[in-house]
mmCIF file of all heavy atoms in Angstrom:
data_model
loop_
_atom_site.group_PDB
_atom_site.id
_atom_site.type_symbol
_atom_site.label_atom_id
_atom_site.label_comp_id
_atom_site.label_asym_id
_atom_site.label_seq_id
_atom_site.Cartn_x
_atom_site.Cartn_y
_atom_site.Cartn_z
ATOM 1 N N PRO A 38 112.667 119.368 90.439
ATOM 2 C CA PRO A 38 112.674 119.819 91.879
ATOM 3 C C PRO A 38 111.493 120.689 92.277
ATOM 4 O O PRO A 38 111.246 121.645 91.524
ATOM 5 C CB PRO A 38 113.981 120.403 92.094
ATOM 6 C CG PRO A 38 114.789 119.804 90.907
ATOM 7 C CD PRO A 38 113.875 119.705 89.810
ATOM 8 N N LEU A 39 110.785 120.514 93.382
ATOM 9 C CA LEU A 39 109.832 121.342 93.777
ATOM 10 C C LEU A 39 110.466 122.706 94.317
ATOM 11 O O LEU A 39 111.335 122.718 95.112
ATOM 12 C CB LEU A 39 109.127 120.661 94.900
ATOM 13 C CG LEU A 39 107.794 121.444 95.467
ATOM 14 C CD1 LEU A 39 106.772 121.611 94.499
ATOM 15 C CD2 LEU A 39 107.168 120.618 96.690
ATOM 16 N N ALA A 40 110.114 123.703 93.678
ATOM 17 C CA ALA A 40 110.792 125.043 93.880
ATOM 18 C C ALA A 40 110.675 125.509 95.320
ATOM 19 O O ALA A 40 111.689 125.916 95.976
ATOM 20 C CB ALA A 40 110.267 126.246 92.985
ATOM 21 N N ALA A 41 109.463 125.424 95.805
ATOM 22 C CA ALA A 41 109.201 125.834 97.262
ATOM 23 C C ALA A 41 107.894 125.066 97.809
ATOM 24 O O ALA A 41 107.119 124.990 97.013
ATOM 25 C CB ALA A 41 109.025 127.366 97.219
ATOM 26 N N GLY A 42 107.965 124.776 99.109
ATOM 27 C CA GLY A 42 106.898 124.111 99.767
ATOM 28 C C GLY A 42 107.148 123.796 101.113
ATOM 29 O O GLY A 42 108.200 124.373 101.724
ATOM 30 N N GLU A 43 106.388 122.812 101.702
ATOM 31 C CA GLU A 43 106.728 122.341 103.103
ATOM 32 C C GLU A 43 106.336 120.948 103.001
ATOM 33 O O GLU A 43 105.625 120.270 102.322
ATOM 34 C CB GLU A 43 105.895 123.165 104.001
ATOM 35 C CG GLU A 43 104.442 122.832 104.124
ATOM 36 C CD GLU A 43 103.696 123.428 105.332
ATOM 37 O OE1 GLU A 43 104.160 124.494 105.734
ATOM 38 O OE2 GLU A 43 102.637 123.083 105.655
ATOM 39 N N ILE A 44 107.222 120.182 103.920
ATOM 40 C CA ILE A 44 107.103 118.794 104.224
ATOM 41 C C ILE A 44 106.742 118.598 105.693
ATOM 42 O O ILE A 44 107.429 119.364 106.489
ATOM 43 C CB ILE A 44 108.284 118.099 103.762
ATOM 44 C CG1 ILE A 44 107.925 116.476 103.757
ATOM 45 C CG2 ILE A 44 109.474 118.435 104.391
ATOM 46 C CD1 ILE A 44 109.100 115.756 102.983
ATOM 47 N N MET A 45 105.965 117.692 106.060
ATOM 48 C CA MET A 45 105.599 117.383 107.298
ATOM 49 C C MET A 45 105.721 115.869 107.628
ATOM 50 O O MET A 45 105.223 115.173 106.874
ATOM 51 C CB MET A 45 104.067 117.826 107.651
ATOM 52 C CG MET A 45 103.663 117.541 109.163
ATOM 53 S SD MET A 45 102.047 118.033 109.658
ATOM 54 C CE MET A 45 101.189 116.695 108.861
ATOM 55 N N PHE A 46 106.407 115.589 108.641
ATOM 56 C CA PHE A 46 106.459 114.183 109.205
ATOM 57 C C PHE A 46 105.618 114.196 110.435
ATOM 58 O O PHE A 46 105.998 114.656 111.490
ATOM 59 C CB PHE A 46 107.963 113.940 109.552
ATOM 60 C CG PHE A 46 108.851 113.437 108.347
ATOM 61 C CD1 PHE A 46 108.964 114.370 107.319
ATOM 62 C CD2 PHE A 46 109.423 112.299 108.194
ATOM 63 C CE1 PHE A 46 109.848 113.984 106.156
ATOM 64 C CE2 PHE A 46 110.245 111.885 107.086
ATOM 65 C CZ PHE A 46 110.264 112.782 106.068
ATOM 66 N N ALA A 47 104.647 113.256 110.356
ATOM 67 C CA ALA A 47 103.650 113.173 111.435
ATOM 68 C C ALA A 47 103.903 111.756 112.215
ATOM 69 O O ALA A 47 103.595 110.798 111.453
ATOM 70 C CB ALA A 47 102.311 113.320 111.131
ATOM 71 N N PRO A 48 104.439 111.646 113.385
ATOM 72 C CA PRO A 48 104.700 110.297 113.863
ATOM 73 C C PRO A 48 103.446 109.525 114.095
ATOM 74 O O PRO A 48 102.393 110.157 114.411
ATOM 75 C CB PRO A 48 105.374 110.656 115.239
ATOM 76 C CG PRO A 48 105.860 112.054 115.202
ATOM 77 C CD PRO A 48 104.799 112.716 114.122
ATOM 78 N N ALA A 49 103.570 108.245 113.783
ATOM 79 C CA ALA A 49 102.412 107.200 113.944
ATOM 80 C C ALA A 49 101.960 107.184 115.412
ATOM 81 O O ALA A 49 100.842 106.876 115.635
ATOM 82 C CB ALA A 49 102.816 105.974 113.465
#
Side-chain angles (χ1 to χ4, degrees):
L39 186 62
E43 75 176 19
I44 187 166
M45 180 179 77
F46 278 59

